[in-house]
Amino acid sequence: MSRRVRRRRVFVVTGATSGLGLATTRALARKGAHVILAVRDEHKARRAVEQITAEQPGAHLEVRRLDLADLDSVRVFADGLRSDRGRLDGLINNAGVMAPPRTLSAQGHELQFAINHLAHFALTGLLLDLLTEGNDARVVTVSSTNHRQGRPLFDDLSGERTYAPMAFYNQSKFANAVFGRELHRRLIAAGSPVRSMLAHPGYTATNLQTSAPVGLVKLLYGRLLIPLAQSPDRGALPQLYAATAPDAAGGQFFGPDGMGELRGAPKWVPLAPAADDAETGRRLWELSERLTAVRFALPAAG
């Protein structure tokens, strides 16, 4: 009698060339997954692949270009996957930008809202049919403790009137949390096998704090507080837990178990009540559909 061959799980990780994304890619590859590195800089991604395969000969890795600051690039990436893959088992919406000077995306949206939320919203919707065919498929949206300080700036999303880098970062992380919960509600309403999960890394030393911020934010987060930060390998544990743990339930939010959720092992942590508000979820969802022109094949929750 022939032995049953176990199917290799397939994950997409955005922002996979450094920090949390690289740590997540390395950990998934170590467990035998096929990982698609969704990246803007393909040369940098190939160096990351060389690094991982040197550590793990035979690792299954694939590089595909994705510029999250351009929704046209999101569509091209998704179309490419849909043309040559029949399923996905996980989408880890990890990439992000933090507190840059006011900048607009290719479609004219404020950059943090565009990259951190809108692009991942669009990517999830465009890949949902592949995830539906997956094995225990999950969408993991990476938020932050800063979501608790955020609020929806519906009346000035582009920051044209008043732009404050950290306020708009907090808003984008709030949007991540709202999206993850609203996606969970809609997946449940549709009877979908896909699970929507949320995670945050606590305070982790990555180039997020140094590549985009300027002034006091860069000094504070990129230099003065760095000694308190944990490594990317530790910071990636909550999103890895959300993506793979058998006991992780849809709609849950995972972060570090240490003081202030800054560092430690992954555990369930609470969302800000405002991020779990169904009316806010509906409003953000409809706005995101309009701004991205991506509509999910899911009914509204409730």
Side-chain angles (χ1 to χ4, degrees):
M1 184 171 66
S2 63
R3 295 178 60 186
R4 185 176 181 181
V5 178
R6 184 179 179 184
R7 190 171 70 171
R8 191 179 302 278
R9 302 194 74 199
V10 181
F11 290 84
V12 170
V13 180
T14 67
T17 56
S18 64
L20 296 169
L22 180 58
T24 298
T25 298
R26 184 186 293 114
L28 291 172
R30 189 182 302 123
K31 293 297 184 180
H34 180 96
V35 186
I36 299 167
L37 292 78
V39 299
R40 182 172 57 86
D41 188 334
E42 293 175 271
H43 180 67
K44 188 176 179 181
R46 291 192 179 94
R47 291 203 307 267
V49 167
E50 290 174 2
Q51 174 189 338
I52 294 172
T53 53
E55 302 165 355
Q56 305 172 44
H60 287 255
L61 302 169
E62 177 183 349
V63 173
R64 298 203 184 208
R65 188 175 187 278
L66 171 62
D67 183 356
L68 292 167
D70 184 352
L71 290 171
D72 291 339
S73 176
V74 175
R75 286 188 177 275
V76 169
F77 175 88
D79 288 345
L81 275 185
R82 290 162 60 92
S83 71
D84 57 27
R85 288 209 168 266
R87 65 175 175 88
L88 286 176
D89 303 303
L91 169 62
I92 302 181
N93 291 325
N94 163 81
V97 62
M98 175 182 176
R102 182 174 180 265
T103 310
L104 300 182
S105 71
Q107 284 72 35
H109 307 304
E110 189 276 321
L111 193 66
Q112 296 180 90
F113 190 69
I115 290 178
N116 298 357
H117 169 62
L118 287 178
H120 284 123
F121 175 93
L123 183 63
T124 303
L126 293 169
L127 297 181
L128 188 59
D129 57 345
L130 295 185
L131 288 158
T132 301
E133 298 299 320
N135 174 30
D136 187 23
R138 307 180 194 190
V139 177
V140 180
T141 301
V142 180
S143 184
S144 165
T145 56
N146 285 53
H147 88 275
R148 298 180 181 124
Q149 303 167 36
R151 60 185 180 87
L153 304 173
F154 290 124
D155 58 342
D156 188 23
L157 281 173
S158 70
E160 184 176 3
R161 295 198 298 275
T162 304
Y163 179 74
M166 280 306 296
F168 274 73
Y169 174 73
N170 295 344
Q171 174 190 231
S172 72
K173 294 290 100 179
F174 180 81
N176 288 153
V178 173
F179 167 58
R181 283 294 291 171
E182 181 65 13
L183 177 60
H184 168 67
R185 285 189 285 263
R186 292 181 183 236
L187 290 168
I188 292 296
S192 172
V194 180
R195 283 188 262 182
S196 173
M197 322 292 291
L198 284 156
H200 81 80
Y203 186 35
T204 300
T206 71
N207 63 6
L208 183 71
Q209 294 95 353
T210 57
S211 60
V214 294
L216 183 59
V217 173
K218 185 171 185 176
L219 176 65
L220 181 63
Y221 290 98
R223 184 177 300 177
L224 297 180
L225 296 179
I226 282 295
L228 302 177
Q230 60 185 350
S231 70
D233 286 342
R234 294 289 294 173
L237 291 178
Q239 59 203 60
L240 285 164
Y241 190 90
T244 63
D247 61 344
Q252 288 186 317
F253 185 32
F254 296 95
D257 66 356
M259 184 174 63
E261 299 172 28
L262 293 178
R263 53 193 301 149
K267 71 166 186 177
W268 173 87
V269 295
L271 276 176
D276 199 23
D277 177 69
E279 176 58 24
T280 300
R282 180 197 62 78
R283 188 176 179 190
L284 179 67
W285 189 280
E286 292 175 357
L287 173 70
S288 301
E289 285 188 328
R290 178 168 58 81
L291 295 179
T292 64
V294 172
R295 284 170 172 75
F296 290 56
L298 295 173

